[in-house]
Amino acid sequence: MARPPHESWDCMLPGPPSRNNGGSADCHPSGLLAFPSSSSVSVVDSRSMQLVSVLPMPPPTATSSSNTNSAAASSSSSLSPFVTSVRWAPFPLPHDLTNYQHLLLAAGDRQGRIALFDFRLRSVLLWFESDPASKPGIQDLCWVQGRSDWVLASLSGPSLLSIWNASTGRCIWKYDVSPEFFSCIRRDPFDSRHLCAIGLKGFLLSIKVLGDTEDDVVIKEFHIPNDSSELQKLERDASGPAASSPALAVFPLYIVRFSFSPLWKHILFVAFPRELIVFDLQYETSLFAAALPRGCGKFLDVLPDPNNELLYCAHLDGRLSTWRRKEGEQVHVMCTMEELMPSIGTPVPSPSILAVVICKSDSTLQCVGNLYSSGSCSSSFDMDFDNPFDFCDESFYVSKTHLISISDDGKIWNWLLTSEGTEDTHKEATNVGKGADVGEGPVSGTNTNNIDGTADLVKQPDLVKQPDCVTSIRSRSSNSTLNQADLSPKISLVGQLQLLSSTATMLAVPSPSLTATLARGGNSPAVAVPLVALGTQSGTIDVIDVSANAVAASFSVHNSTVRGLRWLGNSRLVSFSYAQVNEKTGGYINRLVVTCVRSGLNRKFRVLQKPERAPIRALRTSSSGRYLLILFRDAPVEVWAMTKSPIMLRSLALPFTVLEWTLPTAPRPVQNGPSRQASSSRDRTSVAPAEASSPKTASSTDSKAASTDEPQDDTSESFAFALVNGALGVFEVHGRRIRDFRPKWPSSSFVSSDGLITAMAYRVPHVVMGDRSGNIRWWDVTTGQSSSFNTHREGIRRIKFSPVVAGDRSRGRIAVLFYDNTFSIFDLDSQDPLANSLLQPQFPGTLVLELDWLPLRTDKNDPLVLCIAGADSSFRLVEVNINDKKTSYGPHPRAIKERFRPMPLCSPILLPTPHAVALRMILQLGVKPHWFNTCSTTKDKRHHLIPGTASGAGDLRSYMIDSPPVGDSVVPEMLLKVLEPYRKEGSILDDERARLYAAVVKKGSAVRFAFAAAIFGDSLEAIFWLQLRHAVNHLMNKLINKSPQKASVQASISELDDASILSRITSKGKSIPGARKRDALQDCGQLKLMTFEQEELWETANERITWHEKLEGAEAIQNRVHELVSVGNLETAVSILLSTPPESPYFSTNALRAVALSSAVSRSLLELAVKVVAANMVRIDKSLSGTHLLCAVGRYQEACSQLQDAGCWTDAATLAATHLKGSDYARVLQRWADHVLHTEHNIWRALILYVAAGALQEALAALREAKLPDTAAMFIVACREIHAEIISNLGDSDDESKSSTKSKQLNLPGLDPENEDVIAVGEFYEQYQRKLVHLCMDSQPSFD
């Protein structure tokens, strides 16, 4: 797959995350998972489980210098600290084509720095102005809505909460709660201005951001009772923690986490290490507490299911417990306990789970599928008889949730959590419609080899045109009685990503010579493969496929640190480790293993019965893979023939310091003429008579040197060595014989006594050496010519020759790794190697442990690529671009290379922004399902697949399902042409999402808009489109009920049984909780974020009442009375008020309310007096008693207004839903919508309320004011379409009452085609389309 030039080879694999990273992880609503790994941030596509990119955290100080005296730059202060928290900014894909910043990521580290990354640019956009002196480590981050824009809240140090302006990076508010230890911070899903932060001891801080200044932040403190005795003991044992250290550093295993309930407002789920608590913010009390289940580890995190009444609790021992809420109360019961770390195939001790996170993008798409793809509409094309996964459907899936877990061995686990119905439930639900979820089966987007059923759709296109399949949650709920208690939660592993398993200790690159053969036998030569092997501290060997930037295999070879690793040819590895038997008596057990990369088999050799006196120091393998040198610390070197059963040839009892085999012979350099080369040699000799000329130049003028470029014997190999006294030599191995190569020795001045030789590289005919004083010497073994220079650095640890291909002008480029873990690149063929060197004293943010060249160059224009193992556990590939003038780092434009991915990266949010906006528009307008070229392994069986070569020949507009109802009809064809490269690659949608789109594409505009919003991660917009149909239904109810024939029309259009509602409202008996059981099959819990209908508001309030029946105390009684009056249960309210003891401060108020409420049955002349009393009580009484008196005398409209004035917006809507109808109820909704739009800044929720209130013109104005031109046009299209469908369903026009209703309701009020605002929206949308087309044409396709 093609990649942009600037990303051809510069890539990075992160090391494994650890406890030092704070257990942080965040999943973007579009499915991109971000988590810290050491000092970097890794981003993974959670559906295909592929690494997208790694963002290294820049070091605290910029230390870039090009001179040779900058060794001090490698001080620890310039190293990047651990990243401890990451959080995606909640910015959706922009509708404004002038602003491209939407994939922004905030990251905090252990030194208190906070960076705002632009993920598209892979760079830091903004640094927040933290205190450089105190360096308070970042504990957690959270985005919150300010007055005009989003702001960032952070927990730093032990007890400091700060709020930052995300545009300027300045702190606008601080609050210190010392001596508390903050643990985590979360945003309220029901109010994006509200967040809470919790401490380790149960301290809870509630914050609401009302503006952009310090005075606009409102706080409230709570305390959640819990057992903190263990923490007190830890505090006593802690030896004076640093004042700036956060809780994750002081108490790494004492973790307190909480989550807001996504289904119930004011409810928090709090997980202390040994206790699970449900806390009610409104009542300021705990509603439920459960102790840690026996036999499992402490709580690590608590995650509520986005759509169901389930809690998922992760434990420190790697388990996951599932808790289900009991019907009618806030009590949770544990129903399952599963393992997140399988016992099979894992080492002992087992790796630790660091973080768990739920992918909410899948949950939003599940809402779309559950609401609009059920029934017979999708079942006919949802089955493929060639796909075994389509027959895993015997279990009846009620819900599917994807959970990601991250372990400290570098593995990312993708789990599918399913809730399955019982057999009886399955039979009941079959009557409603089987196959509610498109793409069912225990296979997620990770294994996208599901069969796309749209082949049948092409044959029978009329299957999805049945309008009666567009059912709603309300109509289905009465047909099914599926209970949450009937569900059976299960878990299955559906995907895994392996990153580096541990900190790298050794790096090995295969450089097979032409004499190397394949391990499986035969005479086929072994070729250079794009594999790099890393030995780690944990004893595993990770084999990296550099073409895919992924770990191809991971072998558990040793029980301790891998101390040496080398390739044998290109398919076998040899490695060693050792363990000391006893510190007193000494002795070592050396373990040597040969690993076959293809089969994964490990074969030990040189197994001794007793410990040895000396440990192994290093391994050296010949380029053919036939010979192995084993170096011991204080023992002779052993020479082994690496046959199928390795044989020791002999031992060499010489005091070696370094040994290196010769590399494969390099081709000859480019020669522009012998006279130029000869003169160059003479000039250099005359200028510097003390030193010999360059070995490269000298050898080109010497016939003997030229003859040695070709191997004299294809079975013999040689190695160079240095002794302790500085003596040099070359030995040749031929079969079982070892003989002196008899090289031509350099002059005596070449050997110096100022430092031992510590590194060496050998490629015939040149030997390059480095010593512990920083000197580099090179020597031509055939001519004896030599030279040297001093690097003015510390001792030299490694020297590596760069690979050479035909046409290269130099064969003398070397990479040098110093003992201070910095490196430089020198060209020994240049006039002054030191002056022309590429010095990299500090690789960005980390130290270099090992390096080597990647031997995959095939052309002289290909860049040199360095493989680097960093001290931050990362593996990096870095390009070294060299031309005749200057050697430099970093990317340079050139021919595009290819990067292999095992499957396309189907993440539309990663497309260039204009192309992403174009795809969103295509999905909204409706494209035929066979346009998608998905990446299944069985694509050849698909009838809908159109070959990429022929797809562009015809009219692309034929792919659209209909002509666009709005905008320019030519634009879709142009956008399809822009998206054609992605379609050919199959990188638009994966199979599962393509199948879902095929199921819903003809179910109406609103559901297509919801699907497009969910794909790009805008969950609130998706929920808005899903609720729009019900809001228009609600509006039509009100409009039609105004007509004289409302009695006859109401039965056909209304979704609510008004008579039953009124009977329940006026009933004086106690309300029965759960009077209508919700349909767990079809209910989408996220829709509760935008509840507006009367029955739903009433049921939600009635459900909450039962949670608080056992609460005591004056404040709790006031809240309970308030809830009872809101739902019309006056009798219970009176009984509670009369039970108030006389000594209570609320006695007089309660008595007055009791009298007034009891007189509500016979409306007396007390109305005027009660109204006056109520007005006075509102001024002085915070318990809103005046509202209750207004309810007692029937002044519900005024009571709602007072509640809204007091900020009780949901309570006002609940009261209105109970007692008000028509325009009175609409006024309450419209005022609520104004508040949500202008104060809470939640445009999607406000739009639903405007529609339900009939204020369509205000909704359109809000969209235009928010600069959403495309959404405004789609809003008009969806509303008209839904309205037309409702009118057409009224029946035949022969019915006089229905025909008159139709004639009166031809157009929705405020959306008439002649309306100036509506006309303006259409014209602006056409301009928007034209501008988008120009931007798309100017942007190059990008697949990463």
Side-chain angles (χ1 to χ4, degrees):
M1 182 174 295
R3 303 181 69 209
H6 65 277
E7 291 187 19
S8 294
W9 278 116
D10 288 277
C11 54
M12 174 178 172
L13 266 180
S18 65
R19 294 274 178 216
N20 292 318
N21 295 119
S24 178
D26 190 32
C27 192
H28 192 271
S30 65
L32 294 178
L33 173 69
F35 61 93
S37 302
S38 187
S39 59
S40 305
V41 179
S42 304
V43 178
V44 171
D45 177 29
S46 63
R47 295 188 66 88
S48 64
M49 296 304 288
Q50 296 185 81
L51 181 67
V52 178
S53 185
V54 182
L55 306 175
M57 194 77 162
T61 55
T63 55
S64 59
S65 176
S66 58
N67 57 48
T68 58
N69 296 321
S70 58
S74 62
S75 63
S76 60
S77 62
S78 60
L79 299 181
S80 295
F82 287 103
V83 178
T84 54
S85 184
V86 294
R87 197 69 61 192
W88 287 105
F91 301 155
L93 181 68
H95 295 260
D96 181 4
L97 297 179
T98 61
N99 178 22
Y100 286 179
Q101 293 179 355
H102 60 284
L103 276 180
L104 302 184
L105 180 71
D109 64 19
R110 283 288 292 273
Q111 292 190 9
R113 302 180 306 149
I114 303 175
L116 185 62
F117 283 94
D118 187 329
F119 182 69
R120 305 196 63 82
L121 300 178
R122 310 293 201 267
S123 62
V124 175
L125 189 67
L126 176 71
W127 286 100
F128 292 87
E129 299 176 1
S130 57
D131 184 7
S134 60
K135 295 184 179 180
I138 301 298
Q139 174 76 18
D140 203 0
L141 298 172
C142 180
W143 291 90
V144 63
Q145 178 73 58
R147 173 176 294 175
S148 57
D149 206 349
W150 291 88
V151 295
L152 181 66
S154 68
L155 300 180
S156 55
S159 56
L160 182 64
L161 192 152
S162 307
I163 297 180
W164 309 82
N165 186 312
S167 301
T168 63
R170 295 181 180 178
C171 182
I172 60 176
W173 186 80
K174 287 184 179 181
Y175 192 73
D176 198 323
V177 297
S178 182
E180 297 286 343
F181 273 90
F182 271 134
S183 180
C184 77
I185 185 170
R186 298 288 184 267
R187 183 175 72 248
D188 190 345
F190 288 90
D191 187 353
S192 56
R193 304 169 300 156
H194 177 227
L195 56 84
C196 286
I198 197 169
L200 295 181
K201 299 178 182 178
F203 173 80
L204 183 69
L205 183 65
S206 173
I207 301 174
K208 184 168 283 189
V209 181
L210 303 178
D212 300 327
T213 63
E214 188 173 351
D215 298 331
D216 294 328
V217 180
V218 180
I219 64 171
K220 193 172 184 179
E221 297 182 0
F222 307 92
H223 181 74
I224 303 177
N226 69 98
D227 182 11
S228 58
S229 57
E230 181 181 355
L231 179 62
Q232 294 172 2
K233 182 181 178 182
L234 291 174
E235 286 181 324
R236 290 193 300 267
D237 296 341
S239 56
S244 61
S245 298
L248 64 90
V250 182
F251 309 109
L253 295 180
Y254 194 92
I255 302 170
V256 178
R257 297 281 171 84
F258 81 96
S259 293
F260 280 94
S261 169
L263 307 181
W264 301 100
K265 195 172 184 180
H266 306 303
I267 296 298
L268 301 182
F269 303 116
V270 187
F272 291 97
R274 298 184 181 276
E275 207 169 3
L276 177 64
I277 293 177
V278 180
F279 188 79
D280 193 322
L281 282 174
Q282 186 180 17
Y283 277 73
E284 304 179 14
T285 187
S286 298
L287 302 180
F288 167 76
L292 183 70
R294 180 175 297 179
C296 66
K298 300 175 185 176
F299 287 112
L300 171 67
D301 206 346
V302 55
L303 303 172
D305 191 289
N307 289 329
N308 298 284
E309 299 277 10
L310 295 173
L311 284 180
Y312 305 111
C313 294
H315 300 261
L316 281 176
D317 60 355
R319 298 186 185 182
L320 182 76
S321 57
T322 304
W323 303 66
R324 181 192 296 115
R325 186 177 76 89
K326 283 187 177 181
E327 190 75 22
E329 50 186 332
Q330 269 295 352
V331 174
H332 290 74
V333 180
M334 190 179 75
C335 49
T336 62
M337 178 71 75
E338 302 285 352
E339 294 280 351
L340 288 180
M341 188 61 64
S343 56
I344 299 177
T346 56
V348 178
S350 178
S352 300
I353 295 293
L354 300 177
V356 289
V357 64
I358 283 180
C359 295
K360 295 183 179 179
S361 60
D362 297 316
S363 302
T364 307
L365 284 172
Q366 184 184 344
C367 286
V368 178
N370 283 353
L371 293 176
Y372 289 96
S373 67
S374 62
S376 59
C377 294
S378 59
S379 60
S380 60
F381 62 85
D382 216 19
M383 187 72 69
D384 191 316
F385 293 94
D386 292 328
N387 187 1
F389 294 119
D390 276 340
F391 293 91
C392 299
D393 205 17
E394 297 176 2
S395 55
F396 181 53
Y397 290 145
V398 171
S399 71
K400 299 193 300 182
T401 302
H402 282 272
L403 180 140
I404 305 292
S405 63
I406 302 173
S407 54
D408 61 0
D409 60 347
K411 289 187 174 69
I412 318 298
W413 310 74
N414 185 5
W415 303 93
L416 180 63
L417 308 175
T418 56
S419 296
E420 300 179 2
T422 59
E423 188 174 345
D424 296 336
T425 305
H426 182 63
K427 292 178 181 178
E428 280 188 33
T430 306
N431 299 327
V432 185
K434 185 176 179 292
D437 194 357
V438 171
E440 286 182 10
V443 183
S444 73
T446 305
N447 303 324
T448 55
N449 54 357
N450 289 1
I451 306 302
D452 192 334
T454 51
D456 293 337
L457 178 63
V458 179
K459 298 177 185 177
Q460 305 176 27
D462 57 338
L463 287 177
V464 294
K465 292 183 179 179
Q466 303 174 18
D468 49 86
C469 292
V470 186
T471 52
S472 68
I473 179 176
R474 285 88 183 160
S475 61
R476 285 192 297 261
S477 58
S478 60
N479 297 330
S480 177
T481 58
L482 183 59
N483 196 336
Q484 291 281 348
D486 299 329
L487 305 184
S488 173
K490 292 187 177 180
I491 184 172
S492 54
L493 181 64
V494 294
Q496 187 187 74
L497 174 64
Q498 171 72 66
L499 301 178
L500 299 183
S501 57
S502 182
T503 301
T505 56
M506 298 301 299
L507 183 149
V509 174
S511 300
S513 66
L514 293 177
T515 58
T517 57
L518 297 179
R520 60 175 179 264
N523 296 322
S524 302
V527 297
V529 290
L531 299 177
V532 176
L534 292 179
T536 66
Q537 286 184 353
S538 62
T540 61
I541 296 177
D542 295 333
V543 179
I544 299 171
D545 183 351
V546 295
S547 63
N549 192 34
V551 177
S554 185
F555 305 111
S556 181
V557 181
H558 298 274
N559 297 323
S560 58
T561 301
V562 178
R563 301 180 182 273
L565 179 66
R566 285 291 185 271
W567 284 88
L568 296 170
N570 66 357
S571 61
R572 291 191 303 163
L573 292 164
V574 59
S575 59
F576 83 90
S577 64
Y578 64 78
Q580 190 170 4
V581 178
N582 193 322
E583 294 183 1
K584 295 182 179 179
T585 60
Y588 296 87
I589 298 178
N590 293 309
R591 177 184 170 93
L592 281 155
V593 181
V594 174
T595 302
C596 177
V597 175
R598 289 191 175 92
S599 65
L601 295 178
N602 297 318
R603 184 190 294 268
K604 298 181 186 177
F605 70 100
R606 198 185 176 278
V607 179
L608 304 181
Q609 300 298 325
K610 295 181 179 180
E612 299 181 76
R613 180 178 59 85
I616 298 177
R617 178 160 59 97
L619 300 177
R620 295 292 183 265
T621 57
S622 63
S623 57
S624 69
R626 296 178 178 180
Y627 302 108
L628 170 69
L629 299 176
I630 304 177
L631 284 73
F632 293 86
R633 189 171 295 171
D634 290 308
V637 172
E638 295 181 0
V639 184
W640 286 70
M642 299 307 292
T643 56
K644 186 174 182 179
S645 297
I647 304 170
M648 190 180 84
L649 301 180
R650 60 173 298 178
S651 62
L652 303 174
L654 292 173
F656 297 105
T657 57
V658 289
L659 286 167
E660 288 294 342
W661 290 93
T662 180
L663 292 171
T665 305
R668 297 177 180 178
V670 174
Q671 297 186 8
N672 294 332
S675 60
R676 179 180 179 272
Q677 295 288 338
S679 63
S680 172
S681 177
R682 286 192 299 270
D683 292 342
R684 290 194 59 186
T685 304
S686 61
V687 170
E691 292 189 5
S693 61
S694 164
K696 173 65 207 73
T697 308
S699 65
S700 64
T701 60
D702 192 283
S703 60
K704 184 177 180 180
S707 66
T708 58
D709 281 356
E710 299 298 331
Q712 297 175 348
D713 190 341
D714 61 352
T715 61
S716 64
E717 295 180 84
S718 59
F719 63 89
F721 60 85
L723 303 181
V724 175
N725 60 1
L728 307 175
V730 179
F731 282 167
E732 189 176 63
V733 182
H734 181 70
R736 301 177 65 91
R737 294 175 299 171
I738 299 177
R739 62 191 181 196
D740 192 346
F741 184 70
R742 299 188 181 277
K744 189 167 183 179
W745 302 107
S747 60
S748 58
S749 61
F750 181 74
V751 179
S752 63
S753 59
D754 57 350
L756 283 176
I757 294 177
T758 54
M760 178 180 286
Y762 178 29
R763 182 165 62 196
V764 176
H766 305 129
V767 176
V768 181
M769 293 150 289
D771 61 27
R772 62 184 179 185
S773 300
N775 298 307
I776 292 180
R777 303 178 177 88
W778 65 96
W779 158 45
D780 189 319
V781 298
T782 59
T783 65
Q785 294 176 335
S786 62
S787 185
S788 66
F789 68 94
N790 192 288
T791 61
H792 307 286
R793 302 288 299 279
E794 295 185 17
I796 296 172
R797 186 172 158 203
R798 296 276 188 274
I799 298 177
K800 298 292 182 180
F801 268 116
S802 69
V804 179
V805 297
D808 272 345
R809 294 184 177 275
S810 171
R811 292 195 301 177
R813 298 191 189 100
I814 57 172
V816 179
L817 177 63
F818 298 95
Y819 273 111
D820 62 357
N821 295 108
T822 62
F823 71 94
S824 300
I825 297 174
F826 302 98
D827 188 352
L828 302 181
D829 283 353
S830 62
Q831 297 285 344
D832 188 348
L834 189 62
N836 296 325
S837 68
L838 171 61
L839 189 66
Q840 185 69 16
Q842 176 64 50
F843 197 71
T846 187
L847 297 175
V848 178
L849 296 182
E850 292 287 345
L851 59 75
D852 204 342
W853 297 97
L854 191 65
L856 294 181
R857 292 180 72 220
T858 57
D859 186 84
K860 66 177 182 180
N861 296 319
D862 289 344
L864 295 169
V865 181
L866 264 181
C867 305
I868 291 178
D872 61 349
S873 306
S874 66
F875 170 77
R876 313 180 193 220
L877 295 179
V878 184
E879 291 185 1
V880 180
N881 295 280
I882 299 178
N883 53 41
D884 294 337
K885 297 181 179 179
K886 184 66 178 175
T887 303
S888 64
Y889 264 98
H892 284 250
R894 62 174 186 285
I896 296 179
K897 280 187 174 289
E898 291 189 355
R899 175 178 177 181
F900 171 77
R901 285 195 180 275
M903 60 184 299
L905 195 62
C906 299
S907 184
I909 195 71
L910 295 176
L911 301 183
T913 304
H915 297 174
V917 176
L919 177 59
R920 180 176 61 189
M921 185 175 291
I922 289 297
L923 294 175
Q924 289 174 337
L925 296 177
V927 64
K928 293 178 182 177
H930 61 271
W931 178 69
F932 298 105
N933 179 6
T934 49
C935 56
S936 171
T937 55
T938 56
K939 68 165 67 175
D940 55 334
K941 296 188 297 181
R942 296 184 174 182
H943 303 287
H944 74 270
L945 182 64
I946 297 179
T949 55
S951 60
D955 186 358
L956 292 176
R957 281 178 293 182
S958 62
Y959 283 124
M960 306 303 293
I961 59 173
D962 293 307
S963 60
V966 64
D968 193 335
S969 60
V970 182
V971 168
E973 180 181 11
M974 304 179 73
L975 297 183
L976 287 173
K977 186 176 181 179
V978 169
L979 297 173
E980 186 65 13
Y982 306 106
R983 192 195 74 84
K984 290 180 179 179
E985 292 288 347
S987 60
I988 294 181
L989 293 182
D990 56 60
D991 285 11
E992 186 178 1
R993 291 187 289 184
R995 291 170 62 182
L996 178 57
Y997 186 78
V1000 303
V1001 65
K1002 294 192 177 181
K1003 301 296 180 64
S1005 299
V1007 67
R1008 291 200 303 270
F1009 303 163
F1011 180 89
I1015 286 296
F1016 287 99
D1018 199 336
S1019 302
L1020 283 178
E1021 183 185 351
I1023 296 171
F1024 160 72
W1025 292 117
L1026 292 178
Q1027 283 282 64
L1028 182 61
R1029 175 179 298 277
H1030 310 306
V1032 175
N1033 267 337
H1034 180 85
L1035 172 61
M1036 294 302 296
N1037 271 337
K1038 184 181 70 172
L1039 295 177
I1040 294 176
N1041 287 342
K1042 287 182 178 180
S1043 61
Q1045 300 85 2
K1046 64 179 179 181
S1048 60
V1049 178
Q1050 184 174 353
S1052 63
I1053 186 65
S1054 176
E1055 293 185 3
L1056 305 176
D1057 187 354
D1058 293 338
S1060 63
I1061 293 177
L1062 288 175
S1063 66
R1064 278 181 279 181
I1065 290 174
T1066 57
S1067 171
K1068 293 187 179 182
K1070 189 175 180 180
S1071 61
I1072 301 173
R1076 184 195 72 159
K1077 291 187 177 181
R1078 289 195 172 271
D1079 180 10
L1081 166 66
Q1082 303 295 352
D1083 203 349
C1084 176
Q1086 296 184 60
L1087 297 182
K1088 288 188 177 183
L1089 292 172
M1090 297 187 186
T1091 298
F1092 65 90
E1093 289 195 275
Q1094 293 169 298
E1095 186 179 11
E1096 293 184 47
L1097 288 168
W1098 187 85
E1099 283 188 355
T1100 300
N1102 220 30
E1103 170 84 7
R1104 298 179 70 99
I1105 289 176
T1106 60
W1107 305 347
H1108 310 132
E1109 289 178 345
K1110 297 181 181 180
L1111 297 180
E1112 298 178 354
E1115 290 293 337
I1117 288 177
Q1118 301 306 310
N1119 286 329
R1120 288 188 59 201
V1121 171
H1122 181 63
E1123 288 181 333
L1124 291 167
V1125 173
S1126 297
V1127 298
N1129 193 344
L1130 304 184
E1131 183 177 332
T1132 307
V1134 169
S1135 65
I1136 292 177
L1137 290 170
L1138 291 178
S1139 65
T1140 307
E1143 61 272 11
S1144 171
Y1146 295 96
F1147 177 74
S1148 58
T1149 304
N1150 289 355
L1152 178 59
R1153 283 189 290 169
V1155 172
L1157 291 173
S1158 61
S1159 64
V1161 179
S1162 61
R1163 310 294 173 120
S1164 66
L1165 295 177
L1166 293 175
E1167 180 177 331
L1168 183 60
V1170 170
K1171 184 177 179 181
V1172 174
V1173 172
N1176 292 328
M1177 295 180 71
V1178 167
R1179 296 191 186 98
I1180 62 174
D1181 192 4
K1182 295 182 180 179
S1183 62
L1184 298 175
S1185 305
T1187 304
H1188 309 155
L1189 297 180
L1190 289 172
C1191 294
V1193 296
R1195 299 282 182 167
Y1196 300 113
Q1197 186 75 53
E1198 296 176 22
C1200 289
S1201 298
Q1202 287 190 357
L1203 283 171
Q1204 289 180 330
D1205 291 339
C1208 303
W1209 296 94
T1210 306
D1211 295 337
T1214 303
L1215 183 63
T1218 306
H1219 296 287
L1220 300 180
K1221 289 185 177 181
S1223 59
D1224 293 336
Y1225 182 58
R1227 279 195 292 271
V1228 175
L1229 289 184
Q1230 186 166 346
R1231 189 180 177 196
W1232 190 14
D1234 292 336
H1235 165 78
V1236 171
L1237 177 63
H1238 299 296
T1239 306
E1240 295 185 8
H1241 311 289
N1242 189 336
I1243 186 174
W1244 305 112
R1245 191 178 179 193
L1247 289 175
I1248 281 294
L1249 296 174
Y1250 276 134
V1251 174
L1256 298 179
Q1257 207 151 3
E1258 285 76 2
L1260 197 59
L1263 286 169
R1264 297 184 65 184
E1265 185 180 350
K1267 297 181 180 179
L1268 303 175
D1270 55 334
T1271 308
M1274 298 300 107
F1275 173 73
I1276 295 175
V1277 171
C1279 286
R1280 286 178 176 172
E1281 182 181 286
I1282 297 170
H1283 172 262
E1285 183 182 339
I1286 293 174
I1287 294 299
S1288 66
N1289 287 340
L1290 287 178
D1292 298 330
S1293 59
D1294 297 338
D1295 190 329
E1296 183 179 350
S1297 61
K1298 294 178 180 178
S1299 62
S1300 62
T1301 302
K1302 284 186 177 182
S1303 62
K1304 292 181 180 179
Q1305 303 296 338
L1306 288 178
N1307 293 310
L1308 279 171
L1311 296 183
D1312 299 337
E1314 295 80 12
N1315 188 300
E1316 293 183 358
D1317 291 336
V1318 174
I1319 297 173
V1321 167
E1323 294 174 350
F1324 194 15
Y1325 182 65
E1326 291 185 8
Q1327 297 177 10
Y1328 177 86
Q1329 286 184 311
R1330 297 188 190 103
K1331 183 176 181 180
L1332 175 60
V1333 169
H1334 287 296
L1335 291 173
C1336 288
M1337 296 299 183
D1338 294 339
S1339 299
Q1340 294 295 323
S1342 172
F1343 294 94
D1344 243 6

